[in-house]
């Protein structure tokens, strides 16, 4: 089994990105794993602090590890948006493959100082764990927002990206390049799309020379996602689109069988609904070369 760093390197050479999908229950894990296996592409599943609290940090690590081993399949586990070193250490000890250490809300000097400390502390526990740092403002909450936050002042610059990466030693950088956590209602309805600053991504890639992650990918224009990957994005995060599909599928499953109480008879509707979204995003992130296989 190749490690996550090798697979990121391979993705970079092939001009594709690894899909990252947030999970907080068995429906989501099953849907992501099934889609990735059918398309035969590596995949990252991630849990924020809130998602980990619900599922159990050590429990999800054991579950994902068991999938990886039993099916000999490259599914990796990321500790998404971790805001304290204590939570990071917990994830490192549980065996997470990577961590998003997110102090982007702090002034950049403080973000640099604490992220550098975190890189050292986490790699002392697991030298192969990849540490991602965050700069800029892309909003919070992978949910449906009624109005758009003004994120224009929080866009990342190539200079800031270079300084951050060189000072902290992070393996991966998540910049603010027009992306945003969550979706506007008009995006859920398909009336509007997020647009990315492709030139900014290319400039940051040239300056920072590390793997780049795009957070808040839900609701982004497909062509912008393709261009962003070509410009240097290596990992693309999707959460809100999955949550919307999860709810839709669950409601459909309940409505279809109003008298049913057996979870494994109701929940497959939710698995199918989420799986379709994951498969569609994985095809796009992987250059659609797997589209012919269908799902
Ligand atoms: Zn994120």
């Amino acid at each position: 089994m190749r490690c996550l760093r090798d697979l990121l390197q391979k993705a970079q050479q092939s001009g594709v990105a690894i899909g990252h999908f947030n999970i907080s229950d068995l429906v989501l894990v099953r849907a992501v794993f099934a889609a990735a296996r059918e398309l035969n592409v590596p995949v990252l599943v991630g849990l924020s602090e809130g998602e980990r609290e619900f599922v159990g940090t050590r429990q999800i690590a054991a579950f994902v590890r068991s999938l990886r081993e039993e099916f000999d399949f490259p599914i990796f586990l990321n500790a998404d948006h971790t805001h304290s070193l204590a939570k990071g250490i917990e994830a490192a000890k549980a065996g997470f493959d990577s961590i998003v250490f997110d102090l982007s809300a702090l002034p950049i000097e403080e973000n640099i100082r604490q992220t550098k400390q975190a890189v050292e502390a986490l790699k002392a526990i697991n030298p192969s764990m990849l540490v991602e740092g965050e700069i800029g403002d892309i909003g919070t909450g992978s949910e449906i927002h009624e109005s758009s936050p003004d994120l224009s002042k929080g866009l990342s610059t190539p200079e800031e990206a270079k300084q951050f990466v060189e000072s902290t030693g992070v393996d991966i950088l998540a910049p603010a390049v027009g992306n945003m956590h969550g979706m506007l209602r008009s995006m859920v309805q398909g009336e509007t799309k997020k647009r990315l600053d492709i030139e900014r991504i290319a400039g940051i890639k040239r300056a920072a020379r590390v793997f780049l992650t795009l957070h808040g990918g839900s609701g982004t224009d497909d062509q912008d996602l393709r261009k962003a990957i070509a410009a240097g994005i290596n990992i693309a995060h999707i959460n809100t689109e999955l949550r919307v599909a999860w709810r839709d599928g669950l409601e459909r499953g309940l409505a279809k069988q109003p008298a049913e109480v057996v979870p494994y008879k109701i929940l497959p509707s939710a698995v199918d609904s989420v799986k379709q979204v994951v498969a569609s995003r994985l095809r796009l992130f992987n250059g659609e070369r797997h589209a012919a296989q269908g799902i």
Side-chain angles (χ1 to χ4, degrees):
M1 176 71 61
R2 298 175 75 172
C3 66
L4 180 57
R5 183 189 293 278
D6 287 353
L7 287 169
L8 278 168
Q9 199 63 50
K10 186 165 170 253
Q12 177 147 286
Q13 282 158 3
S14 317
V16 302
I18 296 182
H20 174 291
F21 302 93
N22 286 72
I23 53 151
S24 49
D25 76 353
L26 192 57
V27 165
L28 289 152
V29 184
R30 288 188 70 92
V32 174
F33 190 56
R37 279 191 83 206
E38 284 191 19
L39 296 169
N40 198 25
V41 291
V43 74
L44 259 166
V45 288
L47 298 90
S48 64
E49 286 183 5
E51 289 164 334
R52 299 206 290 278
E53 198 171 317
F54 182 70
V55 181
T57 302
R58 289 177 59 191
Q59 287 67 37
I60 193 64
F63 194 90
V64 170
R65 192 181 313 120
S66 77
L67 289 174
R68 179 153 71 191
E69 289 171 3
E70 181 174 346
F71 298 91
D72 191 27
F73 191 84
I75 180 169
F76 296 95
L77 185 60
N78 175 49
D80 205 9
H81 296 291
T82 303
H83 301 291
S84 71
L85 185 55
K87 292 282 181 194
I89 288 171
E90 195 178 288
K93 286 185 173 164
F96 279 56
D97 301 291
S98 60
I99 180 167
V100 171
F101 195 70
D102 181 4
L103 297 184
S104 57
L106 297 179
I108 185 85
E109 300 75 26
E110 193 56 22
N111 185 0
I112 287 175
R113 193 181 70 77
Q114 292 193 37
T115 301
K116 181 175 191 290
Q117 283 177 352
V119 170
E120 286 161 8
L122 295 167
K123 291 204 184 260
I125 296 167
N126 175 6
S128 65
M129 188 182 203
L130 300 184
V131 182
E132 175 178 318
E134 315 283 296
I135 53 171
D137 182 11
I138 55 169
T140 56
S142 293
E143 52 204 16
I144 298 166
H145 304 300
E146 294 304 329
S147 61
S148 184
D150 178 15
L151 303 173
S152 57
K153 291 190 187 69
L155 288 168
S156 308
T157 64
E159 297 73 35
E160 180 189 46
K162 182 174 159 58
Q163 186 205 0
F164 183 85
V165 167
E166 287 177 355
S167 312
T168 58
V170 291
D171 306 286
I172 309 169
L173 177 71
V177 290
N179 48 328
M180 178 192 100
H181 281 126
M183 291 170 84
L184 302 179
R185 196 163 294 284
S186 58
M187 292 170 181
V188 177
Q189 287 153 354
E191 292 158 4
T192 60
K193 298 278 183 196
K194 290 177 200 167
R195 303 304 305 266
L196 303 173
D197 188 337
I198 307 299
E199 279 307 304
R200 192 177 292 273
I201 295 170
I204 289 170
K205 187 71 172 189
R206 278 193 300 271
R209 305 177 66 83
V210 283
F211 297 124
L212 296 183
T213 295
L214 182 79
H215 281 257
S218 291
T220 305
D221 179 72
D222 284 1
Q223 201 51 30
D224 277 12
L225 284 171
R226 290 185 192 97
K227 288 182 191 163
I229 293 165
I233 292 291
N234 306 104
I235 300 171
H237 279 224
I238 299 286
N239 190 355
T240 313
E241 285 180 8
L242 267 53
R243 291 176 166 184
V244 171
W246 177 90
R247 186 177 177 110
D248 286 350
L250 184 59
E251 283 180 351
R252 256 203 311 280
L254 292 166
K256 216 162 47 189
Q257 310 162 85
E260 187 57 75
V261 296
V262 180
Y264 63 74
K265 293 183 180 172
I266 297 168
L267 295 174
S269 287
V271 174
D272 284 348
S273 173
V274 175
K275 186 176 152 188
Q276 281 178 33
V277 176
V278 175
S280 146
R281 286 322 202 174
L282 280 176
R283 284 194 196 98
L284 191 152
F285 298 157
N286 287 277
E288 323 223 1
R289 64 198 156 91
H290 300 276
Q293 286 176 236
I295 185 138

